[in-house]
Amino acid sequence: MRLKKKNIELEMMLMDLQSILPHRDKAGYVAARNTRIINDTLTEYLDFKAGLIRKYGKADKDSDGNELDTISIYPDSPKFEAFSKEFDEIKNIEHEVDLMTMNYDEVIGILNGEEILMLEWMFTEQEVS
């Protein structure tokens, strides 16, 4: 199925797929293929976003106040507005992606209702002849 989606939407779809990846069935296979397709599409976006977080964010700290290897930016940061301004330039860029789908019938008993709703873009109705 060919979809036109914004970077930010594709990033959310990528996160939604994570819970299905451990499945050792067709749903897991389709999730893995779509993860690869979306990751490939978002390569530059994710690199750009990570660069902005490094530029405007600050090192995370553990409960003792020691700096960790990770960097984050939060809405209450004085640099958040500058981060948002630059991020807004890329988050809404659209891409066409050709994603795999499967019939709803194929996930009955495999995925729960929450998972199906979360990934409904990945499922199609079986055509009746």
Side-chain angles (χ1 to χ4, degrees), residues 8 21 69 104 110:
I8 194 80
L21 289 176
D69 292 336
Y104 278 105
I110 295 174

Side-chain angles (χ1 to χ4, degrees), residues 7-106:
N7 280 330
I8 194 80
E9 293 170 321
L10 288 170
E11 183 180 17
M12 296 300 162
M13 291 165 70
L14 190 61
M15 286 189 276
D16 289 344
L17 286 165
Q18 300 310 301
S19 65
I20 309 303
L21 289 176
H23 282 247
R24 297 291 175 233
D25 49 35
K26 187 174 179 182
Y29 175 83
V30 173
R33 291 285 301 142
N34 286 334
T35 296
R36 183 180 308 277
I37 292 164
I38 294 171
N39 262 331
D40 289 349
T41 302
L42 291 180
T43 299
E44 293 77 15
Y45 162 79
L46 293 172
D47 287 346
F48 191 87
K49 181 181 176 184
L52 289 177
I53 292 170
R54 283 190 304 275
K55 179 179 177 181
Y56 293 109
K58 62 180 184 177
D60 295 319
K61 296 184 179 184
D62 65 17
S63 58
D64 295 327
N66 300 314
E67 285 192 3
L68 301 172
D69 292 336
T70 57
I71 299 172
S72 300
I73 182 131
Y74 297 98
D76 62 349
S77 166
K79 296 180 179 179
F80 191 77
E81 189 174 330
F83 165 82
S84 291
K85 185 176 179 181
E86 284 190 56
F87 183 59
D88 285 348
E89 293 178 21
I90 63 154
K91 75 177 185 184
N92 292 316
I93 294 172
E94 290 187 326
H95 301 274
E96 282 193 27
V97 289
D98 199 8
L99 300 171
M100 286 190 76
T101 60
M102 57 190 293
N103 290 326
Y104 278 105
D105 293 351
E106 296 177 282

